[in-house]
Amino acid sequence: MRHLGLKARMAVVGSILFAFYAVAAVVVMAVFDWPLALVLIGSVAFVGVQYKLGKWMALRSVGAEDLPEERAPDLHRRVESLSRDMGIDKPRLMIASMGVPNAFAVGRKGAGTVVVSQELLRTLDDAEVEGVLAHELAHIRNRDVVMMVLGQGVASIVAIVAQWAVLLTGDNDIADFFLAIVVGQLTQMLVMLFVFAISRYREYVADGDAADAIGTGEPLARALEKISRGAERRESTVDDQAAALCIFGDRGGLASLLSTHPPVEKRIERLRG
Amino acid sequence: MVDARTLLAAALGLLLGAVCLVAPGAVVRVQTAGRRPTGRDGKYGTDAVPNRWRRLVQVVGVGLVVAGAYFGYLALG
């Protein structure tokens, strides 16, 4: 059975998210007198809009453009071959000028899109680019994007319901409005703790799948190493002033619990392990 | 008499303000996960958040701490 560890973790996190959602649904049914069907339809519509809007916004935020086959025949051939090996339809391939080496996947299995930055193609050699592409294709195959949108959708619904519960039970004074906003934000954070825990594990799974698809984890490990070294160099010259503004830094403790990705060093270690 | 809801607003406001000041990147990630691509500040393979976003969240954090202190003063003062 493939990805048994992931399935077991998904069962646990899925149950926790369902419990949060069920409480929110019961509150909505009790307070607004909505039938269950309306709550379910509303929830599906909410998550559906988030999915569509999120995909559109992600592509638009980086100014992604279609990468025609005649402009990058080699890249298209590699994506086609990797997609075949991984048992998915070839995704739409797009390119963007992001100012930094980057790549990401949006969409779902059968309707996925992979965006690569021009800087990524300039920074990495062919084997490293293939490692990155295989990792992004693994995200599409494992439905990681959909899972993140679904998790964010549940967290948003629970947060909105918590916010309204505070507002409707209060005196509508300024302290109640403040309390409602704060409770909404803290509730969303609490739910996202579980979503992020599974997301970090999914990154390792996508790394492992990429290594399986190309036969070795070394190219992806090299790519991660090269990009993170480049980012460190940029940070050390540009961000000293910014770092001084960070009171306790943004690593470790709560920050690492609220991370979508595991530390790069650990990923490289596993890819080479 | 101490108003419990105002006191709760103060306590939770201070808590959220502290989170915004200590871990601004985490706050941004909670809002943007599944909505925006990661690695935008040049760290592909990570979910690092651009510094200007972190600073903005820290400014919001200061506002929350001030508001929390104000509601604390109202509830207990």
Side-chain angles (χ1 to χ4, degrees):
Chain A
M1 196 177 185
R2 214 162 56 92
H3 300 152
L4 195 60
L6 178 62
K7 282 176 180 143
R9 283 169 173 83
M10 278 304 295
V12 174
V13 172
S15 304
I16 294 168
L17 292 183
F18 179 76
F20 276 118
Y21 174 75
V23 171
V26 167
V27 170
V28 170
M29 287 164 69
V31 174
F32 297 103
D33 215 13
W34 284 15
L36 179 62
L38 187 58
V39 173
L40 293 177
I41 290 169
S43 306
V44 171
F46 182 83
V47 174
V49 168
Q50 282 219 334
Y51 172 76
K52 282 284 178 198
L53 210 63
K55 186 175 175 181
W56 178 79
M57 274 167 60
L59 297 177
R60 199 182 152 84
S61 71
V62 297
E65 290 172 4
D66 271 313
L67 182 62
E69 199 151 352
E70 51 278 14
R71 209 173 122 198
D74 228 42
L75 206 62
H76 273 274
R77 257 199 305 277
R78 257 179 290 167
V79 170
E80 196 163 349
S81 155
L82 282 168
S83 302
R84 207 175 28 246
D85 292 348
M86 295 171 104
I88 57 170
D89 294 341
K90 183 187 172 217
R92 183 179 175 195
L93 198 51
M94 299 183 88
I95 192 153
S97 174
M98 301 186 213
V100 290
N102 198 10
F104 63 91
V106 290
R108 59 188 162 78
K109 208 172 167 178
T113 301
V114 171
V115 182
V116 289
S117 77
Q118 287 166 353
E119 295 79 5
L120 183 103
L121 298 178
R122 275 201 298 268
T123 308
L124 303 182
D125 66 32
D126 287 354
E128 291 160 356
V129 169
E130 190 173 32
V132 169
L133 289 171
H135 174 89
E136 297 307 328
L137 292 174
H139 276 316
I140 292 175
R141 183 177 68 175
N142 298 339
R143 300 183 176 89
D144 293 340
V145 182
V146 177
M147 288 313 301
M148 181 58 90
V149 173
L150 198 62
Q152 179 66 269
V154 170
S156 302
I157 289 170
V158 174
I160 291 168
V161 171
Q163 219 161 4
W164 276 96
V166 172
L167 276 178
L168 292 174
T169 54
D171 306 325
N172 284 338
D173 59 15
I174 188 79
D176 271 325
F177 280 108
F178 181 72
L179 182 61
I181 292 167
V182 171
V183 164
Q185 294 302 313
L186 290 174
T187 306
Q188 188 167 6
M189 265 182 209
L190 178 68
V191 180
M192 288 305 282
L193 277 177
F194 300 98
V195 177
F196 284 160
I198 202 77
S199 167
R200 288 192 295 275
Y201 189 76
R202 284 178 170 276
E203 286 298 324
Y204 287 131
V205 173
D207 284 348
D209 286 356
D212 286 345
I214 57 178
T216 166
E218 184 55 30
L220 179 57
R222 258 196 342 257
L224 291 172
E225 212 167 48
K226 206 184 254 185
I227 293 168
S228 88
R229 267 206 308 266
E232 271 166 27
R233 268 200 300 274
R234 273 196 303 278
E235 265 191 352
S236 66
T237 54
V238 176
D239 287 332
D240 284 350
Q241 281 181 315
L245 287 171
C246 296
I247 299 173
F248 298 107
D250 206 9
R251 292 187 178 88
L254 183 69
S256 63
L257 283 176
L258 286 169
S259 291
T260 57
H261 287 56
V264 168
E265 306 76 41
K266 279 198 182 166
R267 290 177 60 190
I268 293 171
E269 200 181 299
R270 282 200 186 201
L271 281 162
R272 286 183 171 148
Chain B
M1 202 181 94
V2 175
D3 176 11
R5 287 177 75 99
T6 307
L7 194 59
L8 190 63
L12 294 183
L14 288 171
L15 174 67
L16 185 59
V19 172
C20 288
L21 288 170
V22 174
V27 177
V28 175
R29 281 193 290 275
V30 167
Q31 298 299 328
T32 57
R35 293 170 178 154
R36 285 181 72 89
T38 57
R40 296 286 299 276
D41 68 340
K43 296 175 198 161
Y44 170 75
T46 74
D47 55 6
V49 170
N51 276 313
R52 62 180 185 282
W53 289 21
R54 286 208 292 254
R55 267 174 259 168
L56 183 67
V57 171
Q58 285 178 324
V59 170
V60 173
V62 171
L64 285 165
V65 168
V66 170
Y70 169 70
F71 289 121
Y73 171 75
L74 282 186
L76 301 171

